[in-house]
Amino acid sequence: MGTSTRTCLKSVPKDLRVLSRSFTSIMLFSSGAFGAISLFGLMSVVSVIGSSCPTANAENAPAFSSLRPLLSSEAALVLKGDVKFDNLTSRWREWHSPSIAAVVQVATKKDVQETVRFAKHFNVSFVARAGGHGATEALANAKNAIQVDFRKLNQVTLNANGETATIGGGATVKQIIDGLAAVGKRAVTGICECVGITAPIMGGGHGWLQGQYGLAADQVVSARLVLTNGDVVTVSNESNKDLFWAIRGAGHNFGLVTEWEYRVHNTKENQWSYEIFIYTQDKLEALYELANSMIKDQPAEAIHWGYIVKVDEIDADHPILWFGIIYDGPTETAREYAKPFHDLEPVMVQAGEGTLHDLAVLTFQDLNGAGCAYGLTSLRYPIGLKSFNVAAMRKVYDHIDETFRKTPEVAGSFFLLEGYSTQAVKAVDAGSTAYPHRNDNLLVTSYVQYQPNSTIDPIAEEYGQTLRNILLQASDDPAHLHAYVNYANGDEPLEAIYGWEKWRLEKLRQLKKQWDPKNKMKYYVPFV
Ligand SMILES: Cc1cc2nc3c(=O)[nH]c(=O)nc-3n(C[C@H](O)[C@H](O)[C@H](O)COP(=O)(O)OP(=O)(O)OC[C@H]3O[C@@H](n4cnc5c(N)ncnc54)[C@H](O)[C@@H]3O)c2cc1C
Ligand SMILES: *[C@@H]1O[C@H](CO)[C@@H](O)[C@H](O)[C@H]1NC(C)=O
Ligand SMILES: *[C@@H]1O[C@H](CO)[C@@H](O)[C@H](O)[C@H]1NC(C)=O
Ligand SMILES: *[C@@H]1O[C@H](CO)[C@@H](O)[C@H](O)[C@H]1NC(C)=O
Ligand SMILES: *[C@@H]1O[C@H](CO)[C@@H](O)[C@H](O)[C@H]1NC(C)=O
């Protein structure tokens, strides 16, 4: 029932292949300064929310309305059939998404407690929602669930000590960046402006600043959680230490976070510097060999960020290699660092300086960019690596190239190669949090994206799995996949996600018995 209503009302972005046509003109004619346009930036989301769709009839609507008087005046209860419902439940990936019967827009901690208690009483499932970018298989197991919508709990307040901020469980990357910048601060966040902060923290959390300050999870001083029985607990180094350990790597499975006490840092004088290099495929070996050699002493301020993507205007026949050097330092330092990439003779270079927002635009992760568009089917198959196996990268490339020809529906997909610096990540004791992949240097994944089409689904799945498997087989440890939980497709071995050391899953399962004995939180890579 939910599915048909959803399909009818969701937003439909245009085909990415059409959008990429704008890419060359932007690259060629951009003045070098940051424009508001990016590769997929011209994507317009065509809203087809209309009146012709049937109004759903939530069979348990009367029970839901009994929750209303228990909520604060700022909260809202939105049932299926309400004009706002489809907007509130629409997701980055609609495919295999939870089926939602009611949305509770919580505004206070007590709202969360009441909602969880209500769910318990009526034996209804619930899923938390912040940025709506969660896309992992288990989400689809939530049926007729309550969406505990945290988007109103989005405060970003600098604390008196100037060293931490209190951040609401529903805040997005953009809200944090903007809120902190206004008081001269910055913090570790993900790249994409519309993604929530809570899920990344709970799974580790990668971003531009991790080499200098650590993962997002490493920034947490304490957190407030509403447990699945409705109780509230504070977790920190002093209080409920084991749960504090668990929510930094496997947090989606334990409780609902209403707020974080989160480390912040002073902003720097300089802007970020960047150079984006575009290569044709004949440079593939030279490019990833160079990247390998540079990983060895990659400064904490430098990020290597890459895509393999089809841009017809640059190469009508083959995908191109997009490789960015993003640098938190003076332009001269950044240029000096990136010099060797010029020697490989890119077909294009785009260089400039900018803010964190500008970096989001540059990497297509701003509010108007591809990363924030809703409604495509998107599959990810992540793998953490120590370095590039260049021969395997060639195989990956060739398979991408071949698949784009054979199945043009997926030719708007991209392959993402994130090479963040890792100094501060590795400086944290690997056993001190549930995040298991501190030794990886590269985070690689397909984003197999296409207009929803069930004929394509099996092809897309096989494609994504094949690409990952090529890299796994060529890695230093083919028997032990590393898959970042926040990118996980959800069918990986649990050890690949939560760690191969036996004690990790044992400890998580033990803690699960203690903190969520009825396993109410099981819709995001569950391990029970
Ligand atoms: C385009 C794109 C860019 C991304 N960029 C990055 C990045 O730079 N760095 C990175 O680390 N990851 C990144 N990710 C992955 C991201 O961490 C996950 O997709 C994450 O699940 C998204 O969180 P959300 O709040 O947007 O999604 P939602 O679907 O709202 O939430 C995802 C899950 O998090 C849990 N959750 C959310 N809020 C709460 C809460 N308050 N309390 C308890 N549980 C909660 C729930 O289990 C929920 O199902 C990116 C993903 C996409 C699609
Ligand atoms: C939902 O509504 C808000 C506010 O009008 C809008 O900004 C947003 O784009 C809408 N989301 C979708 C998916 O249509
Ligand atoms: C609660 O709901 C689940 C899933 O619908 C069902 O399997 C279970 O039996 C229910 N429990 C009770 C106590 O009704
Ligand atoms: C917790 O305490 C340990 C030991 O005192 C310390 O090394 C660590 O940095 C603390 N972690 C956090 C997140 O505060
Ligand atoms: C889905 O993909 C198949 C295979 O390419 C194609 O024939 C069909 O037209 C597509 N369906 C839709 C609705 O786009």
Side-chain angles (χ1 to χ4, degrees), residues 11 45 47 49 86-88 90-91 374:
S11 304
V45 177
S47 177
I49 292 181
D86 293 287
N87 176 284
L88 290 176
S90 132
R91 305 182 61 80
Y374 288 81

Side-chain angles (χ1 to χ4, degrees), residues 214-254:
L215 298 169
D218 300 332
Q219 314 308 311
V220 180
V221 175
S222 71
R224 279 295 187 92
L225 264 81
V226 175
L227 301 174
T228 53
N229 64 7
D231 292 349
V232 178
V233 293
T234 299
V235 298
S236 71
N237 245 354
E238 275 86 48
S239 162
N240 301 308
K241 276 175 136 164
D242 279 352
L243 186 55
F244 184 48
W245 174 86
I247 64 158
R248 293 173 298 155
H252 310 81
N253 291 275
F254 286 96

Side-chain angles (χ1 to χ4, degrees), residues 322-336:
W322 188 109
F323 201 89
I325 296 295
I326 315 275
Y327 206 102
D328 185 22
T331 303
E332 312 79 65
T333 317
R335 297 288 174 272
E336 184 63 29

